[in-house]
Amino acid sequence: MMRKLLFRLRAIGRPVRHFVLEMQIARLAIMATRLWPRLKLLAVMVALLCGFCIVLAGLSARSVHLALSPVSASGIGAAIGAILAAAIVLELAAFSVTAAIGAVLQIARDVGRHRSAVLLAMSSLLAVAAALASLSDEAVLRTDGLAVLGVTALLLTLTIWFERRYRTPNGPGFRDFHVDVVEARRFINRDAHGV
């Protein structure tokens, strides 16, 4: 009897596990864990993007629940609506992040190491200008001001990391930019097809 129950649970668990692994948010999380040993900064950034997707889904679920609560006497309808909204927003956000990573890798492959460094430096300068503007408007304590400061800090960190990793041949941890971009694009494409 117990063996039969375990067999059925295992049979149910396989498709559920496969479904979860096919979700975009699971792919992003797997990407972060696979990047961790070799490229820790990129792993942290992908993990932060996963966190952003989860927070966005949570906020959407809360909004839907608050909107449906007055018309749902038992609260079950509001809870189901909130869960569906969270799942949809989570998948859409994770898909957008994955597509953006793929687009950035395509641009990096097309323009090369030196132009990528220039584009990254220019993005960092624009982010610093936006952060200074938000400081002068006293918007730093608002959510958008904190988001601008966070993006600025990430871009500056990424720019410094890029200079050390790909533009300093004699430095520790120097890597071949083209090889890393090709490998990352293969990884994204392989993940996108569930392999």
Side-chain angles (χ1 to χ4, degrees), residues 27 98 102 105-106 182-195:
R27 291 178 183 169
T98 306
L105 288 171
Q106 179 66 42
V182 169
E183 185 183 332
R185 289 186 75 233
R186 275 193 200 138
F187 178 76
I188 293 260
N189 292 334
R190 190 170 61 236
D191 248 9
H193 294 94
V195 177

Side-chain angles (χ1 to χ4, degrees), residues 4-191:
K4 211 180 253 189
L5 179 65
L6 285 172
F7 180 76
R8 284 185 183 169
L9 286 174
R10 211 175 281 148
I12 293 169
R14 269 191 222 111
V16 169
R17 180 180 177 273
H18 184 68
F19 174 76
V20 169
L21 288 176
E22 284 296 311
M23 293 177 70
Q24 291 292 333
I25 192 68
R27 291 178 183 169
L28 271 181
I30 290 167
M31 191 186 307
T33 56
R34 288 186 184 168
L35 283 170
W36 177 253
R38 291 182 300 135
L39 302 168
K40 291 182 181 175
L41 178 66
L42 294 183
V44 168
M45 289 190 171
V46 173
L48 285 173
L49 290 171
C50 281
F52 169 74
C53 294
I54 292 167
V55 167
L56 195 62
L59 291 174
S60 302
R62 183 177 178 271
S63 299
V64 169
H65 191 271
L66 289 175
L68 294 178
S69 287
V71 295
S72 176
S74 65
I76 294 172
I80 290 171
I83 290 168
L84 286 174
I88 291 168
V89 169
L90 185 64
E91 273 303 284
L92 286 174
F95 179 78
S96 301
V97 166
T98 306
I101 291 171
V104 166
L105 288 171
Q106 179 66 42
I107 291 168
R109 189 183 78 88
D110 291 345
V111 302
R113 175 178 56 156
H114 299 295
R115 289 183 188 146
S116 293
V118 170
L119 288 172
L120 195 54
M122 287 172 59
S123 301
S124 296
L125 287 175
L126 287 173
V128 167
L132 291 174
S134 73
L135 285 173
S136 65
D137 291 343
E138 296 179 0
V140 72
L141 296 179
R142 293 196 325 240
T143 308
D144 54 347
L146 291 173
V148 168
L149 288 176
V151 169
T152 303
L154 281 175
L155 279 173
L156 285 172
T157 306
L158 189 59
T159 303
I160 293 166
W161 175 84
F162 191 93
E163 287 292 325
R164 291 184 65 208
R165 179 70 60 163
Y166 296 116
R167 308 245 304 167
T168 313
N170 297 328
F174 177 75
R175 295 179 62 91
D176 188 327
F177 177 75
H178 182 71
V179 168
D180 278 357
V181 168
V182 169
E183 185 183 332
R185 289 186 75 233
R186 275 193 200 138
F187 178 76
I188 293 260
N189 292 334
R190 190 170 61 236
D191 248 9

